[in-house]
Amino acid sequence: ISLQYQQLKLYTMKKRVQKLPEVEKLEKSTDLIKDAIKEISPYKVELSAEEKSGNRSMAEGREGYVRLVSSIANQHPESLGRSDNPKDLQVLLDLLQPARANRIANLKSLEIAEELELALSLDIMTYVDRYVKTLQVSREHDGTLDLAMREVDEWNKRFGRDQKHDTPEEPES
């Protein structure tokens, strides 16, 4: 790739974040998530590693089995032990779907937030790399800029800027 093409590509960067969110919308979203956490926190359960891996849970494929047993138990409660109430199992099953929906909504929210944060970071570093390259050229003719850019040079020396791991190539349009 020619130097001119690389320079042209540098000036015509494709932004990863096409529609910038308003700060207020991000803050409102964060507040809503915090409120949701407060809402569900009283029901927080902390399972030990042993409890998470050592016990049988209702994994995929078992729900049909569980619902069948629940249905039979509800139809024949007299056949259960004295202390068993089939409604106890039904209450838990009724909570399962909303609990799953809650987890899935949280995962979706997390995915959106992670992708937005990463895309913003990538766009920011693309700008920074572009600005540094043009400032490096301009500093040759401007003593004041040269002095200001020395701090950037020190930063790069101090933190060992690694060209191999800097901002990735621009995505193709």
Side-chain angles (χ1 to χ4, degrees):
I1 298 177
S2 73
L3 181 60
Q4 287 177 328
Y5 176 75
Q6 287 178 340
Q7 289 172 337
L8 178 62
K9 192 174 178 183
L10 184 64
Y11 289 106
T12 59
M13 78 175 235
K14 180 180 182 220
K15 294 179 184 171
R16 288 163 183 88
V17 181
Q18 297 298 315
K19 184 176 180 182
L20 295 174
E22 297 170 20
V23 171
E24 294 80 19
K25 291 209 182 237
L26 288 175
E27 290 171 345
K28 181 180 178 184
S29 175
T30 301
D31 290 343
L32 288 170
I33 292 168
K34 287 178 180 177
D35 288 345
I37 291 169
K38 284 180 195 171
E39 190 74 27
I40 200 166
S41 285
Y43 313 105
K44 181 179 179 182
V45 177
E46 293 190 33
L47 299 174
S48 68
E50 181 180 303
E51 288 173 308
K52 290 178 185 178
S53 65
N55 289 311
R56 191 171 130 161
S57 66
M58 191 177 75
E60 252 185 79
R62 288 190 182 159
E63 187 169 348
Y65 170 74
V66 168
R67 291 196 183 276
L68 175 63
V69 169
S70 176
S71 176
I72 293 170
N74 277 301
Q75 291 171 13
H76 301 278
E78 70 284 349
S79 298
L80 297 174
R82 271 189 206 154
S83 63
D84 289 330
N85 181 351
K87 302 290 182 210
D88 294 342
L89 176 57
Q90 190 58 50
V91 166
L92 297 177
L93 283 169
D94 291 345
L95 288 171
L96 185 63
Q97 188 57 37
R100 280 185 181 151
N102 186 293
R103 179 181 57 82
I104 290 168
N106 279 300
L107 288 173
K108 184 66 177 175
S109 175
L110 179 62
E111 177 186 14
I112 291 167
E114 285 178 337
E115 293 288 320
L116 177 60
E117 181 183 7
L118 179 58
L120 287 168
S121 295
L122 291 169
D123 283 353
I124 288 166
M125 290 311 296
T126 301
Y127 273 113
V128 168
D129 291 345
R130 184 173 86 186
Y131 291 178
V132 167
K133 286 180 182 177
T134 56
L135 289 168
Q136 290 290 6
V137 171
S138 298
R139 81 189 285 188
E140 293 176 13
H141 309 291
D142 185 338
T144 306
L145 177 58
D146 183 50
L147 287 172
M149 289 300 291
R150 288 182 188 172
E151 192 171 347
V152 171
D153 296 339
E154 288 301 315
W155 185 273
N156 287 332
K157 283 180 193 172
R158 183 173 175 200
F159 294 102
R161 183 173 178 204
D162 185 355
Q163 296 291 341
K164 291 180 186 176
H165 296 97
D166 275 353
T167 306
E169 288 293 314
E170 291 297 317
E172 294 299 319
S173 298

